[in-house]
Amino acid sequence: DAGVIQSPRHEVTEMGQEVTLRCKPISGHNSLFWYRQTMMRGLELLIYFNNNVPIDDSGMPEDRFSAKMPNASFSTLKIQPSEPRDSAVYFCASSLGVPGGSTEAFFGQGTRLTVV
Amino acid sequence: GNSVTQMEGPVTLSEEAFLTINCTYTATGYPSLFWYVQYPGEGLQLLLKATKADDKGSNKGFEATYRKETTSFHLEKGSVQVSDSAVYFCALSDHGGGADGLTFGKGTHLIIQP
């Protein structure tokens, strides 16, 4: 398997523009996670899906952020409008969760977003 | 809520030195514990894990033991190499009815000098 695939690897955009980050999870995994990494706050869980359904979006910073998972093999994280403080590395991860079991998440290489 | 606390970095060591990176956690229930490693410009990779008390996870010469009594999961390696230079994250995940997100510590930047 190719692992979790994220695109683009780097994105530079102007403040106010819409940004869409994409993720393809590992085939067969039923959970998908979006994380944001910054120097100040470390790794923060933004949202996660289980069987394509959003389970917990309490980490999404504000209404400018939205995430979708239209099918088991694709997810997007959208920021509209973007702001300089959104600059960070955004990671997507997937796992195979089972009831009562431990989870092991596999991470993509991340998208480095710079909003100028 | 869940939280993970790990020692601040950077930690700078000479090659072949002994490594300990401390990690303690707070969680409801009985979490699984993980160490992830992030090499420059890459995503996180699972290094090792432990799912119940007294379990020892090990990989690539690294070890960590799940200590429920001290709520700790310290990472150790007997002899580090330059190639071990990376950021190390301690994390936990609750058991539950399905998959949930990992709670990470802030990461410890390890620098190994030749």
Side-chain angles (χ1 to χ4, degrees):
Chain A
D1 199 307
V4 176
I5 300 173
Q6 292 186 245
S7 64
R9 288 293 309 275
H10 303 274
E11 177 80 35
V12 180
T13 190
E14 292 186 345
M15 182 173 64
Q17 296 298 305
E18 177 180 297
V19 175
T20 299
L21 312 181
R22 296 173 176 79
C23 175
K24 180 180 179 350
I26 291 173
S27 177
H29 281 187
N30 61 357
S31 295
L32 182 141
F33 311 87
W34 282 101
Y35 288 88
R36 178 171 67 176
Q37 185 180 36
T38 61
M39 289 292 292
M40 291 296 296
R41 301 170 71 92
L43 269 163
E44 303 172 278
L45 177 65
L46 299 179
I47 184 171
Y48 77 91
F49 297 83
N50 189 244
N51 294 321
N52 311 339
V53 175
I55 302 300
D56 183 356
D57 65 355
S58 59
M60 296 284 262
E62 49 197 273
D63 291 346
R64 298 185 297 107
F65 286 68
S66 62
K68 294 183 179 179
M69 192 164 185
N71 57 62
S73 59
F74 184 66
S75 177
T76 60
L77 176 67
K78 184 178 294 186
I79 308 172
Q80 166 62 21
S82 58
E83 296 182 3
R85 61 194 168 115
D86 301 330
S87 298
V89 181
Y90 291 81
F91 287 103
C92 177
S94 71
S95 70
L96 178 62
V98 294
S102 61
T103 59
E104 174 182 336
F106 294 82
F107 283 75
Q109 291 191 294
T111 295
R112 181 175 294 278
L113 173 65
T114 303
V115 183
V116 298
Chain B
N2 296 339
S3 67
V4 175
T5 302
Q6 59 183 109
M7 59 194 296
E8 298 283 333
V11 173
T12 304
L13 296 173
S14 298
E15 207 166 19
E16 300 183 2
F18 183 86
L19 168 72
T20 300
I21 301 178
N22 290 336
C23 170
T24 57
Y25 67 90
T26 302
T28 55
Y30 302 95
S32 293
L33 301 175
F34 306 83
W35 277 100
Y36 279 81
V37 58
Q38 184 180 29
Y39 298 103
E42 297 187 11
L44 280 72
Q45 303 172 25
L46 179 66
L47 180 60
L48 54 84
K49 67 178 181 180
T51 58
K52 61 183 187 297
D54 299 325
D55 268 3
K56 178 185 283 188
S58 60
N59 185 26
K60 299 181 180 179
F62 291 89
E63 294 183 337
T65 301
Y66 189 142
R67 300 289 188 199
K68 189 167 182 294
E69 64 277 12
T70 55
T71 61
S72 65
F73 194 55
H74 305 322
L75 182 68
E76 297 181 335
K77 186 174 185 182
S79 176
V80 293
Q81 306 300 314
V82 172
S83 58
D84 294 327
S85 299
V87 182
Y88 292 80
F89 293 88
C90 185
L92 68 82
S93 175
D94 275 340
H95 293 289
D100 58 358
L102 290 157
T103 299
F104 285 92
K106 292 208 168 180
T108 301
H109 187 192
L110 176 65
I111 301 169
I112 307 300
Q113 297 178 332

